[in-house]
Amino acid sequence: MSDFPNSARVVIIGGGVVGVSTLYHLAKKGWTDCVLVEKNELTAGSTWHAAGNCPSFSTSWAVMNMQRYSLGLYKGLAAEVDYPMNYHVTGSIRLAHSRERMQEFARAKGMGNYQGLNLSLMTPDAAKAMYPFLAIHDLAGALYDPDDGDIDPAQLTQALAKGARQMGAHIERFCPATGVTQTPDGWIVHTDKGDIACEKVVNAAGYYAQRVGEWFKPYGGRTVPMVIMSHQFFLTEEIPELAAWTAANGRKVPLLRDVDSSYYLRQDKNGLNLGPYERNCKAHWVTPDDPMPDDFSFQLYPDDLERLEWYMMDAMARVPILGTAGVGRVINGPIPYAPDGLPLLGPMPGVRNAFEACVFTFGITQGGGAGKVAAEWIVDGRPEWDMWACDPRRFTDYTDQDYCHAKAVETYGHEYAMHFPYHTWSAGRDKKLSPVHDKIIEMGGVMGAYNGWERANWFAEAGDDTSEAATQTWERNGPWQPRIKAECEAVRDAAGILDLPGFSRYRLQGPGAADFLRGLCTGAIPKVGRIGLVYFADDRGRIVTEMSAIRLEDDFFFLITAAAAQWHDLEWLQAHMPADAGFILADATRDFTCQILTGPKSRAILAACSDADLTKGWLTHQSAKIAGIWAQLVRVSFAGEMGWEIHTKIADTPAVFDAVMQAGAPHGLKPFGMFALNALRIEKGYRAWKGDLSTDYSMLEGGLARFVSLDKPQDFPGKAALLAERHRGVAKRFVTLTLDDPGPCDAPYMSTIWHDGAVVGETTSGVWGYRVNKSIALAMLRADLAVPGTKVAVEIYGDRFVATVEADQPLWDPINERLRT
C-alpha cells in the first residue's frame, strides 16, 4: 500500500474506455499527476461486452468531430504505445430504403467531407458489388464509409492505459471509490484503499454514473439523467460461404447497417454479428423488483432473443446466408442512455471542479475523442470544438427518472431515426407548462419541448394533418407551411402573440453588480431604463453566450437568455463572480413568464388594455398594468417588428393573456409559434444560441464587432485574443445568403458552401422567409468571399443551389424603421 497515491491533480472514477482515454489525454497535455480508480479490472462495465463498432457517421457536427478524432487516434495508437490491437478497418455500408434516407446520407456525406472524411453515396448495385450476399431489390441507395470498422474494446482500453502509464499517470485497479468530500482546495475521493486529495474529479463511472453522481448532491449536484438499457447482439457459427469469400478476397465484408430496419450486421471471424436496436426494447434496474446490483462487473443479462425475432427475420431476408448458421453466442449487456442518446461530457452541473465523462451509448467509437474533450475541459476550461450537444448542462430540472426512462426507450428504439426539421418526439412531454398552456392548446397549438417547456411550434386549423407521419420529410411544404405563412403575415400586417415560457432569467443585484457585468461582457452595458444585448467570450475571443440585460437601477439587472442555456449561462456568471461579491445572482426563471406581442397594431392593442407609456422608444422597458395587473413591458421584438415583450408573474399570466387577446381581437391579433419566429428572426439576421452563436466562432467572425469594446479599460475574457484577431483579420465572416433558385428544402445547420470547387464555409441556420419570399441561410463564409453580390453554392441534402451574399444588414426592414416606429 506504500505506493498508493494520497494526492493528485485529478482523480477519475471509472476504468472503462472513456475514463482511461481521459487519463491518457490528461497525460498528453502534461497533467501526469492524475489517478484513475476502478472498482474491478479495467473494462469491467459496458466496455468489455461492447461490439466495438467504429463509425464516423453522425448528423451532429460535434459528435462527428469526436468520432473522427477517435478513428484517427486508433489508427496509430498500437504503434505509439507498442501494444497490439485487433482493429479491422473494413469500411461500412448504410442502406437506404427511401429518398428521405438518401437525403440524410447526402447531408452526412457533406458534413463528413468537410471534416476530411471520405464518405460517399452508392447505388444499390455498387453496394451489391462490395457486399455480394446482399439483397438489394427494395433499396434506394447506400452510404459508404471506408474508415468504419471494429476494434477490440479491451485491447483499445489497455493500449490507452499503457500510454497513460508510460507518461506517468497512475491507475488503481480493484479500488472501489466509496464517496467524495469537497474541501476548500478541491476534493477528497474516498476509496477502499484510502483517500486521495485532488483538485478536480471526473465521474466516468459508466452505467454506475448515477450512483456516483449522488455523492455530489450535497455540493450542488443533481441526479444524473440516465437509464440503463439492455442491448443484445448475437454471433453466429461459421458460415462456409462467408469463409470462402473472405479467403478468396483477402478481406472481410464491410460492416452493414440497415438503418431503416434498425440493426447492424458485422463479420466476426467467419460468422456474422447481428445487433438490433429494437422498438420493443427493455430498460433494466428501473423498478424496485429489479434493483441495481452493487457490482455487475463482467456480467450479462439472460438471453432474450424472442425480443429480436422480427429483426432476425428481416436481416436473414437482407443477407440470406445469415439464416444458414446457428447462433453461437448471445451478448445481452447493460448500456447507459441519456434522454437524447448522447453522452454527458463536460462540467458537472452545479458543482465546481467536477466533471462528467459518462453515459456513453457508443463509447468505443467516441472514447478517443471524448478523452480529448474531457481533458480540454479540465486543463483549459473549454474544449477545442463547441460540444454543447454533449454538455451535461443541456438537461436541467425537468429530467426526473420517469422522463429519462421514457426518453431512453424512445431513443434506443429509434437509434437510427431521421431527425426531420418539423418533427417532434412524443415521449417525456408536458414536463413544464406555461400558465396559459391549455389556452394555447385550445387555439390549435402544435407543441414542441424547449428545455422541458412546452411551446407552440405552429397553430393548426380544423382539418390540418398533425400526425407524426406528416412530418417525415426534409421539405418545408407540409400542413404547417400555410399556417406558418399566415402567422408571419399577421405579424407583418397586424399583430401576433407568442406565448414564450421558460426564458432563462437571473436577478443580478447589489453593490458592484454593474462593474461585474461591465468587466465580464465584451461591450457596453445598458443605461438605467434601457435593455441591451451583452455578449461573453472565452479566452480565445469565441462566443460563449448572449444575454439581454434589463437595467432597472444602477446595480440591479435582470439578465435574460435562452431556455436551453439556463444552467450553462448561470454557471458562466457564477464562475466569474468574486468570492467577496457584494451583489447577488439568483435564478428567477420559475418566477416569471413572457409573451411576445409584435406587429404594427401592437401599440393600439396595448393602448386598449394597459396604462403603459407607449411613446417610450425602442430598447426601453417600464412597469405598467394590464387589466390592473403588474407587467414589465420591454420594447424589443425578436420577430423584427414593432412590439413588446410582456413579462408577468406566473400566477398573473392567464388574466393578462386574456386581456391582451380580448384587446387584440378588433385588430386581427393572431397567435404564432416558434416556427414562425424562426423565420421572422432569420429575415432580420438575428442569431440563435448554439447555432449561429457558438464557441466555434469568434465575436469578430460572428459579425458582432459592434458589441465589442476593445478600447474599454476592463480586461474582459478574450480581449487580448480579439485585439490580435482584429490586427491579423478574420478567417471567416458571418453573412446572410439568399438562394437564387431554391429547391423544396431549406438549408439545415452545417450545410457546406462551395465556391470554385472548394468548400468555403457552412450554414448555421436556414429557413423560408415569408416576408421577403426567399429561402435564406445564415452562414459563416471565408472572409474574402463575404462581399455583397458574391455567388456561392449551398449544398442542401446533396444538391447544390446557387446563393447570393447579401449586404450586411437585415433583409427585412434593413434600417429598422418598423422596429423603431
Side-chain angles (χ1 to χ4, degrees):
M1 296 294 290
S2 61
D3 61 347
F4 182 79
N6 55 27
S7 65
R9 296 193 77 174
V10 181
V11 172
I12 300 165
I13 301 170
V17 65
V18 174
V20 176
S21 178
T22 301
L23 185 72
Y24 168 88
H25 283 89
L26 283 169
K28 276 277 193 183
K29 293 180 74 67
W31 283 34
T32 56
D33 182 17
C34 298
V35 176
L36 181 146
V37 296
E38 161 57 42
K39 72 188 326 183
N40 197 283
E41 180 58 88
L42 298 182
T43 78
S46 290
T47 299
W48 82 270
H49 64 74
N53 298 334
C54 290
S56 62
F57 176 95
S58 180
T59 53
S60 162
W61 187 257
V63 172
M64 181 178 277
N65 254 327
M66 189 163 58
Q67 294 176 173
R68 172 186 56 78
Y69 173 87
S70 291
L71 303 194
L73 171 67
Y74 300 167
K75 286 178 182 177
L77 183 62
E80 176 193 328
V81 303
D82 190 24
Y83 191 96
M85 294 189 300
N86 291 319
Y87 184 21
H88 309 112
V89 182
T90 60
S92 70
I93 300 172
R94 287 177 183 258
L95 305 179
H97 294 214
S98 66
R99 173 175 170 267
E100 288 77 17
R101 183 66 78 174
M102 285 301 292
Q103 289 176 292
E104 181 203 42
F105 287 173
R107 182 188 175 211
K109 170 187 172 293
M111 292 171 59
N113 293 165
Y114 194 177
Q115 289 197 14
L117 300 170
N118 296 313
L119 304 178
S120 60
L121 300 180
M122 305 175 75
T123 65
D125 287 338
K128 175 80 171 181
M130 191 173 286
Y131 198 115
F133 308 107
L134 183 66
I136 62 171
H137 59 284
D138 58 346
L139 297 180
L143 177 74
Y144 179 59
D145 178 359
D147 298 316
D148 205 339
D150 63 273
I151 197 166
D152 184 298
Q155 292 175 347
L156 168 63
T157 306
Q158 293 295 348
L160 290 165
K162 183 177 181 182
R165 290 187 181 108
Q166 287 173 343
M167 290 181 279
H170 192 91
I171 296 175
E172 283 289 330
R173 299 172 301 135
F174 303 101
C175 181
T178 57
V180 298
T181 300
Q182 195 173 51
T183 68
D185 300 322
W187 296 92
I188 296 173
V189 177
H190 308 291
T191 80
D192 279 358
K193 293 184 178 181
D195 292 347
I196 308 173
C198 60
E199 298 171 19
K200 301 180 181 183
V201 65
V202 182
N203 180 356
Y207 55 73
Y208 280 99
Q210 192 173 82
R211 281 197 175 179
V212 171
E214 294 299 298
W215 302 342
F216 294 88
K217 277 190 172 180
Y219 311 110
R222 87 301 184 213
T223 299
V224 176
M226 61 178 288
V227 163
I228 311 304
M229 299 298 297
S230 155
H231 180 55
Q232 194 169 198
F233 60 92
F234 70 85
L235 292 78
T236 71
E237 297 169 342
E238 181 169 310
I239 301 172
E241 296 96 324
L242 184 60
W245 187 92
T246 300
N249 290 272
R251 64 177 177 86
K252 292 183 175 184
V253 293
L255 195 159
L256 193 71
R257 291 185 181 85
D258 194 336
V259 290
D260 288 311
S261 293
S262 194
Y263 58 80
Y264 59 83
L265 187 66
R266 189 189 87 204
Q267 183 173 348
D268 192 280
K269 297 180 181 177
N270 286 317
L272 291 171
N273 171 344
L274 176 67
Y277 291 93
E278 68 276 17
R279 295 287 173 87
N280 55 325
C281 53
K282 183 178 181 180
H284 273 279
W285 306 331
V286 293
T287 58
D289 61 345
D290 181 26
M292 188 178 197
D294 290 333
D295 192 347
F296 201 67
S297 299
F298 297 111
Q299 297 183 58
L300 296 170
Y301 302 130
D303 300 351
D304 190 11
L305 285 180
E306 288 185 9
R307 213 168 71 216
L308 308 185
E309 182 177 357
W310 184 92
Y311 302 88
M312 296 164 66
M313 298 301 294
D314 189 84
M316 286 188 286
R318 181 65 58 200
V319 181
I321 61 169
L322 176 65
T324 65
V327 174
R329 186 184 179 200
V330 178
I331 306 293
N332 185 11
I335 295 210
Y337 262 73
D340 59 3
L342 297 180
L344 303 179
L345 182 59
M348 184 183 293
V351 186
R352 289 199 177 193
N353 297 320
F355 299 84
E356 292 177 337
C358 53
V359 199
F360 279 78
T361 299
F362 296 97
I364 305 306
T365 193
Q366 294 169 2
K372 165 185 157 64
V373 171
E376 289 168 348
W377 270 119
I378 294 164
V379 176
D380 304 325
R382 40 69 180 166
E384 175 187 356
W385 315 306
D386 191 291
M387 291 300 298
W388 177 246
C390 302
D391 195 301
R393 295 166 294 185
R394 71 190 187 274
F395 296 117
T396 61
D397 57 353
Y398 61 96
T399 55
D400 58 27
Q401 211 56 32
D402 287 342
Y403 172 86
C404 292
H405 186 186
K407 291 300 293 184
V409 168
E410 179 183 65
T411 301
Y412 181 99
H414 296 85
E415 185 58 63
Y416 296 124
M418 292 176 276
H419 295 274
F420 295 107
Y422 296 98
H423 175 262
T424 59
W425 294 98
S426 59
R429 298 296 296 273
D430 291 349
K431 300 306 293 185
K432 295 191 283 191
L433 303 181
S434 161
V436 295
H437 176 78
D438 291 343
K439 298 176 188 290
I440 299 300
I441 296 294
E442 289 172 8
M443 297 165 78
V446 180
M447 311 302 285
Y450 298 81
N451 191 35
W453 290 95
E454 293 291 322
R455 295 174 178 173
N457 281 329
W458 60 286
F459 285 84
E461 296 185 2
D464 285 347
D465 183 358
T466 59
S467 68
E468 183 178 22
T471 67
Q472 305 297 296
T473 178
W474 303 108
E475 298 184 2
R476 77 179 69 88
N477 288 332
W480 52 84
Q481 192 271 340
R483 306 298 169 231
I484 297 171
K485 180 175 184 290
E487 292 169 23
C488 292
E489 290 172 345
V491 169
R492 179 194 67 192
D493 299 333
I497 189 168
L498 170 63
D499 182 46
L500 202 61
F503 258 151
S504 302
R505 66 184 74 215
Y506 320 115
R507 180 192 297 270
L508 180 67
Q509 185 177 14
D515 288 340
F516 166 72
L517 191 60
R518 190 179 289 112
L520 186 58
C521 71
T522 61
I525 61 174
K527 298 177 181 179
V528 174
R530 305 281 293 178
I531 178 175
L533 290 176
V534 291
Y535 288 86
F536 304 89
D538 66 16
D539 62 313
R540 301 166 296 177
R542 297 192 181 185
I543 306 164
V544 172
T545 194
E546 166 198 83
M547 301 185 200
S548 295
I550 301 173
R551 192 171 187 181
L552 288 86
E553 299 171 8
D554 285 345
D555 278 317
F556 183 9
F557 300 82
F558 270 105
L559 303 176
I560 298 179
T561 186
Q566 183 181 358
W567 283 4
H568 174 280
D569 284 9
L570 181 62
E571 290 194 2
W572 172 260
L573 296 169
Q574 289 172 332
H576 290 87
M577 285 178 62
D580 58 351
F583 55 87
I584 62 161
L585 175 67
D587 190 335
T589 300
R590 290 279 195 166
D591 298 336
F592 302 90
T593 189
C594 176
Q595 283 85 41
I596 294 177
L597 175 67
T598 185
K601 301 291 183 65
S602 55
R603 178 176 280 119
I605 293 169
L606 282 179
C609 63
S610 79
D611 64 357
D613 178 359
L614 301 176
T615 64
K616 284 182 173 287
W618 188 40
L619 302 180
T620 63
H621 61 85
Q622 61 181 299
S623 290
K625 289 187 176 180
I626 297 176
I629 300 169
W630 174 89
Q632 190 76 12
L633 301 183
V634 182
R635 180 75 159 79
V636 293
S637 170
F638 201 48
E641 300 285 351
M642 180 181 69
W644 286 261
E645 290 177 358
I646 304 173
H647 297 264
T648 51
K649 295 177 182 177
I650 295 294
D652 294 337
T653 301
V656 170
F657 183 80
D658 286 346
V660 174
M661 288 300 298
Q662 184 177 353
H667 300 284
L669 178 62
K670 184 181 182 70
F672 68 103
M674 296 299 292
F675 290 162
L677 181 65
N678 190 50
L680 295 164
R681 67 100 184 166
I682 288 178
E683 288 177 308
K684 292 292 292 182
Y686 293 161
R687 282 72 154 170
W689 189 66
K690 291 306 178 189
D692 316 300
L693 302 171
S694 83
T695 54
D696 284 333
Y697 309 119
S698 76
M699 289 288 296
L700 301 183
E701 287 177 329
L704 300 171
R706 66 189 183 279
F707 297 102
V708 177
S709 300
L710 293 174
D711 57 349
K712 73 177 185 177
Q714 292 81 12
D715 187 22
F716 58 84
K719 184 175 183 179
L722 291 168
L723 280 165
E725 186 179 32
R726 184 177 68 174
H727 176 73
R728 70 175 180 270
V730 297
K732 294 180 177 181
R733 287 193 185 278
F734 180 87
V735 297
T736 298
L737 304 174
T738 56
L739 275 62
D740 293 5
D741 187 17
C745 306
D746 298 308
Y749 175 67
M750 286 294 168
S751 297
T752 49
I753 303 172
W754 294 81
H755 185 265
D756 286 346
V759 175
V760 293
E762 66 274 359
T763 63
T764 56
S765 294
V767 78
W768 187 268
Y770 291 95
R771 291 178 296 193
V772 300
N773 202 34
K774 292 181 179 181
S775 183
I776 311 164
L778 305 183
M780 297 298 298
L781 189 63
R782 202 177 72 196
D784 62 300
L785 299 174
V787 178
T790 300
K791 298 291 184 180
V792 295
V794 181
E795 184 175 324
I796 301 176
Y797 302 112
D799 296 320
R800 296 185 190 179
F801 295 88
V802 175
T804 301
V805 177
E806 299 290 345
D808 186 17
Q809 61 185 20
L811 293 174
W812 178 253
D813 188 24
I815 60 173
N816 293 327
E817 290 177 302
R818 296 170 68 94
L819 269 178
R820 298 172 184 270
T821 299

